[in-house]
Amino acid sequence: MNRHESPADIWADGDHELGEGARWVDGRLIYVDILAGRLLEVVEDGRRTPRELLRLDVPLGAVAPVYGRPGHWIAAAGTGIALLTPDGRPEWLARPEEHSPVPTRMNDGVCDPHGRFWAGSMPYDGTLGAGSLYRTDPDGSVHRVLDGMTIVNGPAFAADGDLLYVADSAAGVIHRCTLDRDGNPTGREEFARVTAGGSPDGMTVDDTGRLWVAVWGHGVVHRYRPDGTLDATIPLPTPQPTSVCLVPEGGRLLITTARHGLTGATGVAGAVLAVTVDATAPAARAFGAP
């Protein structure tokens, strides 16, 4: 295993309580501050100052762009899945966690290469097995795909969209699922387990099939080969990285972080960090893209 030697620098300053969901969309970084319900962007304009695009009155876990509708998003928010207009007005497609036995919110989410939006949920109190993974099809229908997990994070996809990676952060496990053409799991295996402290959080797959994982609580990013071998560790100057985004043009890994739960001087917690890497990944896929 290699220890990555390039230092992590502040790429965009910020004091976000729970930055998450980093995605590269139309030449800019898009991400959320979950508990504040904020959607933010950072443009490469020299200053790289975060700008609020919209704000919800419920937690905002993650978004993906909507195909052919600039400024519109599909979102994992509150207790369900919504379409968002540029002014932040939600059109709810479904709220599957609205009447859960314990208070539960939506968490991380991403579109696969087939234009389907996948998002996980998590109980506020950490009740074991109360989290689920949902798939939203281009027709707007929402389906529970996996259950029995606790804090559902990730999801990330291989280039063809037929391999799904999803983390159960509370268990420290990253699962890999094979999918059929309709997006239903046909197999599931333990891909990797984080054992050296911390929990797997946001993830992305690069163009060579390697999985990059933010490790919450341990202040590192892990990189795994397609066979599940941990082949690189990237140390960070803050303990709570939350998500990772590889810039399509190459050369940069962007990492959102959080200050949630930290006390005293929090340093760079809440900023977006950047590390020089030799890797690329596609820009964020759009919901409903053909």
Side-chain angles (χ1 to χ4, degrees):
M1 182 184 70
N2 299 317
R3 184 175 176 86
H4 196 86
E5 296 302 329
S6 296
D9 298 316
I10 295 177
W11 186 78
D13 218 344
D15 187 28
H16 309 306
E17 182 179 9
L18 193 53
E20 248 278 25
R23 309 285 181 258
W24 195 257
V25 179
D26 297 331
R28 58 189 169 149
L29 181 70
I30 296 290
Y31 65 105
V32 299
D33 191 354
I34 294 181
L35 300 181
R38 302 174 70 206
L39 177 63
L40 301 123
E41 71 169 3
V42 178
V43 179
E44 285 270 38
D45 60 358
R47 293 171 297 173
R48 293 200 295 264
T49 302
R51 184 175 79 91
E52 183 177 302
L53 294 177
L54 58 86
R55 184 189 295 248
L56 303 181
D57 60 3
V58 294
L60 178 58
V63 303
V66 176
Y67 181 72
R69 300 175 67 186
H72 290 73
W73 309 90
I74 186 168
T79 56
I81 308 296
L83 295 173
L84 305 178
T85 59
D87 64 2
R89 180 174 51 84
E91 174 192 337
W92 293 99
L93 299 178
R95 299 188 190 186
E97 299 291 3
E98 184 73 14
H99 302 293
S100 296
V102 296
T104 301
R105 67 166 174 85
M106 300 303 296
N107 199 36
D108 203 1
V110 70
C111 273
D112 69 15
H114 303 293
R116 303 175 295 217
F117 183 64
W118 299 71
S121 67
M122 58 170 285
Y124 282 98
D125 67 357
T127 297
L128 294 178
S132 298
L133 178 68
Y134 296 92
R135 185 192 74 237
T136 304
D137 292 338
D139 64 2
S141 59
V142 178
H143 310 271
R144 180 182 273 114
V145 177
L146 296 173
D147 57 16
M149 296 187 286
T150 304
I151 300 175
V152 183
N153 256 309
F157 290 88
D160 60 7
D162 296 333
L163 277 181
L164 159 71
Y165 296 90
V166 61
D168 186 347
S169 298
V173 174
I174 302 168
H175 301 278
R176 180 166 62 187
C177 301
T178 54
L179 305 174
D180 65 19
R181 62 182 299 173
D182 296 318
N184 300 308
T186 59
R188 175 173 159 183
E189 62 180 342
E190 181 177 310
F191 174 75
R193 183 178 291 266
V194 175
T195 58
S199 304
D201 204 324
M203 307 185 289
T204 194
V205 179
D206 71 19
D207 287 325
T208 68
R210 297 175 300 184
L211 183 70
W212 302 67
V213 183
V215 183
W216 170 279
H218 195 48
V220 297
V221 170
H222 282 174
R223 188 183 72 198
Y224 296 89
R225 298 187 187 123
D227 65 1
T229 302
L230 176 63
D231 79 339
T233 297
I234 301 173
L236 304 173
T238 188
Q240 294 178 167
T242 55
S243 70
V244 288
C245 174
L246 286 161
V247 178
E249 293 79 12
R252 282 177 300 175
L253 177 72
L254 302 180
I255 306 147
T256 53
T257 67
R259 58 175 175 78
H260 180 70
L262 299 179
T263 58
T266 57
V268 303
V272 180
L273 306 179
V275 177
T276 299
V277 295
D278 182 19
T280 58
R285 278 86 171 199
F287 177 63

